[in-house]
């Protein structure tokens, strides 16, 4: 049976383009979602070099993403969808079975709550640390840095690790009993932690165990972000 959603026929050759940086933590989130939904063959990837600031070029901002961030999903008709949550929501709904973002109101509410917490308390906090308190993407891109703010956000990320450890002591996945977008967001956060050498505290044993399980999941294991750290 042919499943069609929007302008995308998921049984046809690539009709979508994703602008990304393969080992980036945010692009990794969308790559995992694609793998979970078996949509890899329906997209083509276009490399945007973060270290060269290609995501901040006027043409990219004007025509792909006003925010100047990655990843960006471009549909066959030229529509561009930015932000990982929005892209995942779109991809997850293509087959009418939104297992990553929630199949009913309760699932949607909990998954989106936990994914947002993962962004605020972990992933985005590490991003601020990276851009403000480390060399980041280099002087050609990091035009303003506030190291004090960066270090505060680093400490916030560590608190976030403790929070998610407490969550995972009670349940197998971040949003409950099933793998979801919330797990993908925490994976992205820990990918970023690895980039900036921010170690998960040893006492966060549940978070450590969960991450080891996630790295063995096929959709995660296959990602470029893990090519250097997964056996």
């Amino acid at each position: 049976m042919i499943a069609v959603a929007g302008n995308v026929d998921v049984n046809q050759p690539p009709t979508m383009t994703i602008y990304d940086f393969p080992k980036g933590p945010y692009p990794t989130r969308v790559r995992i979602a694609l793998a979970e939904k078996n949509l890899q063959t329906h997209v083509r990837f276009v490399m945007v070099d973060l270290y060269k600031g290609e995501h901040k070029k006027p043409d990219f901002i004007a025509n792909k993403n006003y925010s100047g961030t990655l990843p960006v999903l471009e549909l066959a008709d030229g529509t561009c969808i930015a932000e990982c949550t929005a892209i995942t929501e779109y991809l997850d709904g293509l087959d009418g079975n939104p297992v990553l973002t929630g199949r009913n109101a309760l699932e949607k509410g909990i998954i989106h709550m936990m994914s947002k917490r993962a962004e605020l308390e972990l992933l985005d906090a590490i991003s601020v640390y990276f851009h403000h308190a480390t060399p980041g993407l280099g002087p050609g891109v990091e035009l303003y840095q506030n190291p004090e703010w960066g270090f505060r956000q680093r400490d916030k990320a560590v608190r976030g690790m403790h929070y998610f450890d407490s969550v995972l002591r009670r349940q197998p996945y971040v949003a409950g009993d099933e793998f979801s977008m919330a797990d993908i967001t925490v994976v992205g956060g820990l990918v970023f932690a690895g980039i900036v050498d921010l170690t998960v505290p040893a006492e966060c044993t549940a978070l450590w165990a969960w991450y080891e399980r996630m790295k063995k999941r096929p959709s995660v294991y296959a990602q470029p972000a893990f090519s250097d750290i997964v056996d």
Side-chain angles (χ1 to χ4, degrees):
M1 185 172 90
I2 295 178
V4 180
N7 294 317
V8 180
D9 181 340
V10 298
N11 288 312
Q12 295 300 316
T15 56
M16 299 181 286
T17 299
I18 291 183
Y19 298 90
D20 85 335
F21 187 76
K23 291 191 175 184
Y26 292 90
T28 294
R29 292 170 63 186
V30 168
R31 284 173 168 263
I32 293 171
L34 282 166
E36 287 286 331
K37 302 298 290 189
N38 294 313
L39 287 170
Q40 302 98 312
T41 61
H42 301 285
V43 301
R44 69 182 185 98
F45 290 96
V46 174
M47 166 80 165
V48 178
D49 195 329
L50 296 178
Y51 286 94
K52 292 181 179 178
E54 292 177 352
H55 58 308
K56 300 297 185 183
K57 299 297 185 184
D59 182 66
F60 187 84
I61 289 173
N63 297 303
K64 304 303 178 186
N65 182 12
Y66 167 81
S67 298
T69 58
L70 297 177
V72 179
L73 171 68
E74 184 174 21
L75 307 182
D77 66 358
T79 299
C80 288
I81 303 174
E83 309 302 334
C84 294
T85 299
I87 295 170
T88 301
E89 189 95 40
Y90 178 83
L91 297 173
D92 197 27
L94 288 177
D95 62 359
N97 184 30
V99 293
L100 298 177
T101 56
R103 290 160 292 202
N104 57 52
L106 179 59
E107 285 185 1
K108 287 179 182 295
I110 293 174
I111 289 169
H112 280 258
M113 173 183 73
M114 295 306 292
S115 187
K116 187 64 176 178
R117 285 180 180 176
E119 288 181 337
L120 293 173
E121 305 299 328
L122 186 62
L123 180 56
D124 291 350
I126 295 173
S127 178
V128 173
Y129 169 60
F130 173 73
H131 288 293
H132 286 273
T134 80
L137 295 174
V141 179
E142 310 293 0
L143 302 181
Y144 167 78
Q145 290 187 302
N146 184 334
E148 181 183 0
W149 179 237
F151 286 120
R152 288 194 179 199
Q153 291 300 297
R154 178 201 61 188
D155 295 343
K156 179 180 181 179
V158 173
R159 292 194 299 271
M161 291 174 183
H162 281 280
Y163 168 70
F164 286 106
D165 179 70
S166 71
V167 169
L168 291 162
R169 289 178 185 273
R170 305 190 304 267
Q171 57 198 38
Y173 296 99
V174 174
D177 293 329
E178 297 182 37
F179 182 87
S180 73
M181 177 174 64
D183 295 279
I184 296 174
T185 308
V186 176
V187 167
L190 296 185
V191 167
F192 218 156
I195 291 172
V196 299
D197 294 324
L198 181 59
T199 303
V200 175
E203 61 269 28
C204 294
T205 54
L207 182 58
W208 273 107
W210 169 88
Y211 195 37
E212 289 305 310
R213 279 197 295 123
M214 293 303 100
K215 287 190 289 185
K216 292 178 174 63
R217 193 176 181 94
S219 64
V220 177
Y221 180 89
Q223 301 312 317
F226 292 94
S227 61
D228 298 327
I229 61 175
V230 178
D231 293 335

